[in-house]
């Protein structure tokens, strides 16, 4: 895989440094809502939770989105770059992003339900896509105190708050029965439940945010994640940054038919079955998932 040489005339290193800085800043904003404010005793900032149809939105989502967008705009402008974020896309004219080859794809708070429930399993996703594919990614898991980052062709790294950086690789477990699966705690339709129940790998662990799930895989704590759309589907901002973090660590992310995901399309939903894995049994697992799902659907 060829290394990313430059980004719309900007040096890759400088773009990545800015994205990482913004990621840490976003994490601080989220934690200011998540943890008790020492100045105000035990109280926390008001989340002002609202139901937006697709799920809850909090003041933390909005504040963090505002911070990320303002800083990206200040650093890179809007001439060469488009922007797609969970909190602004509904009010945005799609032409504003579709006309751009370079597009920032942002989820300021992935795992809002987990944030509200205080499971600690929430994340910040910042990805840069070029011609529909992610080429730079930052995923921050604030409660782990870790920021994961990757650029195309240059590997995946984890940075801690003290500035220590370590390169990561997925585990090489290659017996399907031994693979560990990370599953969603709150986004499991009946078809997915049946599919997971029939897979040969039954070591399953529930984790909230997609970013946290992928972090578990690149940290060699798990091997596999399956997304299966139902009435709704994961969106670009759920998957773009985590995908590159995983693939640059040696893993794979495809649809069940083996095709790659495309981002910044007219429809921001990623429909169908998607498999993210450590790569060792990826094709076989995709085939098994397609076969099992066909049988499940035919029995309805």
């Amino acid at each position: 895989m060829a290394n990313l040489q430059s980004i719309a005339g900007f040096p890759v290193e400088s773009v990545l440094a800015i994205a990482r800085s913004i990621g840490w800043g976003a994490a601080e904003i989220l934690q200011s809502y998540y943890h008790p404010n020492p100045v105000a005793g035990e109280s926390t900032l008001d989340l002002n939770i609202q139901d937006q149809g697709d799920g809850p939105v909090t003041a933390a989502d909005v504040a963090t989105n505002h911070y990320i967008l303002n800083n990206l705009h200040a650093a890179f402008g809007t001439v060469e770059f488009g922007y797609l974020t969970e909190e602004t896309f509904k009010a945005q004219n799609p032409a504003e992003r579709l006309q751009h080859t370079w597009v920032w794809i942002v989820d300021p708070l992935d795992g809002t339900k987990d944030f509200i429930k205080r499971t600690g399993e929430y994340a910040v996703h910042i990805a840069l896509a070029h011609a529909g594919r992610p080429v730079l990614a930052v995923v921050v898991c604030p409660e782990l105190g870790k920021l994961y980052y990757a650029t195309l062709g240059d590997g995946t790294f984890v940075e801690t708050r003290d500035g220590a950086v370590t390169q990561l690789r997925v585990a090489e477990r290659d017996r399907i029965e031994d693979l560990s699966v990370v599953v969603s705690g709150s986004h499991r339709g009946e078809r997915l439940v049946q599919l997971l129940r029939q897979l040969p790998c039954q070591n399953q662990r529930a984790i909230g945010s997609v970013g946290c799930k992928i972090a578990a895989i690149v940290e060699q704590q798990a091997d596999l994640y399956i997304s299966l759309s139902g009435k709704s589907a994961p969106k670009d901002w759920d998957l773009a940054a985590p995908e590159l973090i995983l693939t640059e660590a040696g893993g794979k992310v495809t649809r069940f038919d083996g095709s790659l995901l495309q981002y910044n399309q007219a429809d921001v939903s990623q429909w169908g079955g998607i498999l993210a894995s450590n790569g060792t049994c990826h094709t076989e697992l995709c085939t098994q998932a397609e076969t099992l799902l066909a049988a499940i659907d035919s029995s309805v």
Side-chain angles (χ1 to χ4, degrees):
M1 183 181 297
N3 291 60
L4 189 62
Q5 298 300 314
S6 66
I7 295 173
F10 293 87
V12 174
E13 295 78 7
S14 65
V15 176
L16 181 59
I18 292 168
R20 286 159 64 186
S21 176
I22 293 172
W24 281 122
E28 289 181 9
I29 293 173
L30 291 178
Q31 290 193 299
S32 72
Y33 283 88
Y34 191 83
H35 292 286
N37 185 338
V39 177
E42 292 299 313
S43 64
T44 56
L45 295 174
D46 184 7
L47 285 180
N48 188 26
I49 301 170
Q50 299 181 28
D51 187 353
Q52 297 292 322
D54 292 334
V57 174
T58 71
D61 295 75
V62 176
T64 308
N65 187 77
H66 184 74
Y67 167 82
I68 294 172
L69 269 186
N70 277 0
N71 280 274
L72 288 176
H73 284 162
F76 305 112
T78 58
V79 176
E80 297 291 342
F81 295 89
Y83 298 85
L84 171 60
T85 86
E86 180 176 17
E87 308 310 323
T88 58
F89 91 101
K90 287 183 178 178
Q92 181 186 43
N93 181 345
E96 293 178 15
R97 58 181 177 82
L98 292 174
Q99 67 180 342
H100 286 96
T101 302
W102 298 96
V103 177
W104 289 98
I105 302 175
V106 175
D107 191 342
L109 174 49
D110 186 62
T112 300
K113 290 181 180 178
D114 286 272
F115 187 85
I116 294 169
K117 294 176 183 176
R118 304 182 68 79
T119 69
E121 296 166 351
Y122 64 92
V124 179
H125 297 177
I126 301 173
L128 179 62
H130 180 255
R133 295 288 299 149
V135 296
L136 180 149
V138 168
V139 170
V140 194
C141 299
E143 300 308 309
L144 295 179
K146 293 182 176 181
L147 180 149
Y148 302 86
Y149 66 89
T151 54
L152 185 66
D154 199 37
T156 291
F157 299 82
V158 60
E159 179 179 29
T160 52
R161 292 189 188 276
D162 61 5
V165 173
T166 305
Q167 186 165 7
L168 296 174
R169 293 288 297 179
V170 294
E172 296 181 359
R173 287 179 285 267
D174 59 1
R175 291 183 70 250
I176 289 183
E177 295 80 3
D178 296 337
L179 300 184
S180 176
V181 186
V182 281
V183 299
S184 295
S186 56
H187 296 283
R188 274 186 278 176
E190 182 57 31
R191 293 168 74 234
L192 179 57
V193 170
Q194 291 188 49
L195 177 60
L196 291 170
R197 191 180 297 141
Q198 295 179 51
L199 285 173
C201 36
Q202 286 300 304
N203 180 14
Q204 299 177 5
R205 169 188 172 194
I207 297 181
S209 161
V210 177
C212 291
K213 291 181 177 74
I214 298 305
I217 297 177
V218 298
E219 295 267 15
Q220 300 192 4
Q221 299 166 2
D223 307 289
L224 178 66
Y225 167 58
I226 292 177
S227 169
L228 185 62
S229 62
K231 294 181 180 178
S232 63
K235 306 297 190 290
D236 283 9
W237 47 80
D238 296 312
L239 296 170
E243 176 183 342
L244 191 68
I245 298 296
L246 179 55
T247 56
E248 283 298 318
K252 290 185 178 180
V253 179
T254 70
R255 300 188 183 282
F256 289 170
D257 65 6
S259 61
L260 297 175
L261 279 62
Q262 296 295 317
Y263 298 99
N264 192 41
Q265 307 299 300
D267 184 357
V268 298
S269 296
Q270 297 287 347
W271 298 100
I274 298 168
L275 183 69
S277 80
N278 68 357
T280 59
C281 306
H282 193 88
T283 301
E284 184 177 353
L285 282 165
C286 282
T287 301
Q288 287 196 21
E290 275 200 308
T291 302
L292 290 170
L293 194 60
I296 291 169
D297 291 341
S298 66
S299 67
V300 176

